[in-house]
């Protein structure tokens, strides 16, 4: 690391290309802010971030399908999610994967250099040891520190110029009940039980999904507001009306954590699993008290201790709204 202490100097042009998933995008945002703090001119190529340019002062946001080769031509360095890998080897493009690079990818055959200096470990995985107990935020900070020579102790900017907090935000909880992977999802009946118990304690409970799910979620959670947003700005603005996020292992929890909200992650994984919200200290992983295999599948949903969420939150019942 000592050799890389001055690797990033003020004025360097660095482009970041996250994969489309919301959780991954929040990690690349963290890296962008670290580079920005070091004085780099940072460009983020992201469809989802295009709607929140106003919340990201100092960062250049490019929407549309990322043009990795074009970014390489006008940047000193590009750090790109492996999802957008191009066939042509580019000497200033570093590829990052979450936990595993493709089998055919040979990092040693594609050295990465920045203004004539080779960057050791530029092609890498973010999580190098899933059993280490670190969050993905801690892993991306380690990449920034050990590979790019950035100061991981320096504060980062975070989202700026956000809408004012809603007056009743303290007592509103947003539940994200779905993910693109059904095996990760807690049961609708379980989320309905949780919602009833929270409402009984005076909480305002609202559900969030993607637009194609809105009708299905409205049918599954009758009597509760169900939101779906066409862009990231709508979701961020809504979360400014909340103080708590409950989600599966999904992007909603990461975004809530990034925004400083208290998050509860419902998962069958161990409590220190790598991909848990880690942007603040207010995250709690809710996993089953037991699980077992049955006909080749893991049975875990009936054993989620919802009481841990309910008991961890204040009782608003009887208090003045």
């Amino acid at each position: 690391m000592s050799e890389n202490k001055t690797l990033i100097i003020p004025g360097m042009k660095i482009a970041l290309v996250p994969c489309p998933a919301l959780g991954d995008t929040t990690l690349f945002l963290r890296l962008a802010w670290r580079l920005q703090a070091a004085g780099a001119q940072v460009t983020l190529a992201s469809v989802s971030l295009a709607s929140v340019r106003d919340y990201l002062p100092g960062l250049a946001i490019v929407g549309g399908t990322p043009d990795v080769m074009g970014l390489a031509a006008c940047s000193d360095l590009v750090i790109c999610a492996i999802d957008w890998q191009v066939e042509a080897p580019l000497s200033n493009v570093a590829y990052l994967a979450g936990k595993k690079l493709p089998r055919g990818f040979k990092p040693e055959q594609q050295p990465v250099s920045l203004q004539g200096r080779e960057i050791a470990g530029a092609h890498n995985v973010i999580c190098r040891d899933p059993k280490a107990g670190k969050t993905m935020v801690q892993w991306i900070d380690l990449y920034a520190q050990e590979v790019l020579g950035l100061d991981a102790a320096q504060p980062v900017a975070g989202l700026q110029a956000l809408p004012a907090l809603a007056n009743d935000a303290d007592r509103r909880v947003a539940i994200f009940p779905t993910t693109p992977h059904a095996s990760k999802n807690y049961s609708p009946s379980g989320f309905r039980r949780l919602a009833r118990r929270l409402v009984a304690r005076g909480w305002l409970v609202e559900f969030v999904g993607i637009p194609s799910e809105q009708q299905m979620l409205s049918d599954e959670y009758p009597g509760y507001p169900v939101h779906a947003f066409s862009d990231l700005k709508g979701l961020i603005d809504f979360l400014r009306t909340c103080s708590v996020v409950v989600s599966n292992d999904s992007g909603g929890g990461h975004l809530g954590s990034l925004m400083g909200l208290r998050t509860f992650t419902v998962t069958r994984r161990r409590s220190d699993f790598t991909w848990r919200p880690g942007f603040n200290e207010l995250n709690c992983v809710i996993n089953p008290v037991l699980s077992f295999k049955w006909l080749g599948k893991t049975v875990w949903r009936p054993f989620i201790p919802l009481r841990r969420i309910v008991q961890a939150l204040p009782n608003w019942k009887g208090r003045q709204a």
Side-chain angles (χ1 to χ4, degrees):
M1 176 186 162
S2 59
E3 185 180 339
N4 283 346
K5 277 188 176 177
T6 58
L7 186 64
I8 306 297
I9 60 176
M12 278 185 170
K13 296 180 179 180
I14 314 292
L16 303 182
V17 188
C19 84
L22 179 56
D24 298 83
T25 298
T26 62
L27 288 179
F28 273 74
L29 255 181
R30 174 80 165 203
L31 183 57
W33 286 325
R34 291 235 170 271
L35 288 161
Q36 184 183 41
Q41 298 177 27
V42 184
T43 296
L44 271 156
S46 168
V47 172
S48 61
L49 292 178
S51 68
V52 293
R53 287 186 177 92
D54 291 346
Y55 300 159
L56 301 170
L59 300 178
I61 309 299
V62 178
T65 302
D67 177 7
V68 177
M69 297 186 71
L71 289 168
C74 62
S75 305
D76 295 304
L77 176 67
V78 178
I79 301 175
C80 180
I82 195 66
D83 310 65
W84 303 107
Q85 181 186 1
V86 296
E87 292 186 7
L90 300 167
S91 62
N92 65 336
V93 176
Y95 290 106
L96 274 182
K99 297 181 182 179
K100 184 166 59 175
L101 287 165
R103 183 174 297 178
F105 185 82
K106 308 289 186 187
E108 67 279 2
Q109 296 177 9
Q110 298 187 40
V112 178
S113 60
L114 175 60
Q115 295 188 347
R117 296 179 60 188
E118 185 171 339
I119 307 175
H123 302 302
N124 222 314
V125 293
I126 300 174
C127 173
R128 284 171 263 162
D129 180 4
K131 296 182 180 179
K134 298 182 186 299
T135 67
M136 291 297 273
V137 175
Q138 291 171 316
W139 282 119
I140 201 71
D141 280 352
L142 274 177
Y143 179 84
Q145 181 180 39
E146 295 177 357
V147 176
L148 302 178
L150 301 176
D151 181 2
Q154 189 167 1
V156 295
L159 296 169
Q160 304 290 314
L162 292 172
L165 282 170
N167 292 334
D168 55 359
D170 283 351
R171 60 187 302 182
R172 180 172 289 106
V173 56
I175 298 179
F176 291 76
T178 60
T179 72
H181 307 284
S183 63
K184 290 184 177 183
N185 294 349
Y186 185 46
S187 63
S189 61
F191 278 127
R192 284 194 294 270
R193 286 197 305 275
L194 174 62
R196 287 195 298 269
R197 293 174 68 176
L198 290 174
V199 168
R201 290 168 63 87
W203 282 87
L204 306 173
V205 177
E206 305 188 14
F207 287 83
V208 186
I210 60 176
S212 62
E213 299 171 332
Q214 189 166 19
Q215 185 57 56
M216 175 197 72
L217 295 178
S218 295
D219 294 340
E220 286 185 338
Y221 303 102
Y224 298 98
V226 174
H227 303 278
F229 303 98
S230 60
D231 58 30
L232 184 58
K233 181 180 185 301
L235 177 55
I236 287 176
D237 290 353
F238 167 70
L239 288 179
R240 289 291 284 175
T241 73
C242 305
S243 61
V244 178
V245 166
V246 179
S247 71
N248 302 292
D249 172 15
S250 67
H254 298 290
L255 181 61
S257 179
L258 178 71
M259 294 177 63
L261 277 62
R262 187 170 190 172
T263 58
F264 295 88
T265 304
V266 180
T267 179
R268 73 179 188 182
R269 298 170 182 260
R270 48 192 258 182
S271 59
D272 64 348
F273 82 104
T274 301
W275 198 268
R276 64 191 189 274
F279 291 97
N280 65 52
E281 300 300 319
L282 302 175
N283 177 64
C284 181
V285 174
I286 308 297
N287 49 12
V289 293
L290 66 92
S291 62
F292 60 88
K293 291 282 189 180
W294 179 257
L295 300 177
K297 295 184 178 180
T298 301
V299 179
W300 61 276
R301 294 172 182 86
F303 309 110
I304 289 292
L306 295 177
R307 67 183 180 280
R308 289 184 56 199
I309 300 176
V310 176
Q311 293 172 357
L313 296 176
N315 187 345
W316 293 98
K317 200 68 175 179
R319 300 193 198 182
Q320 186 173 355

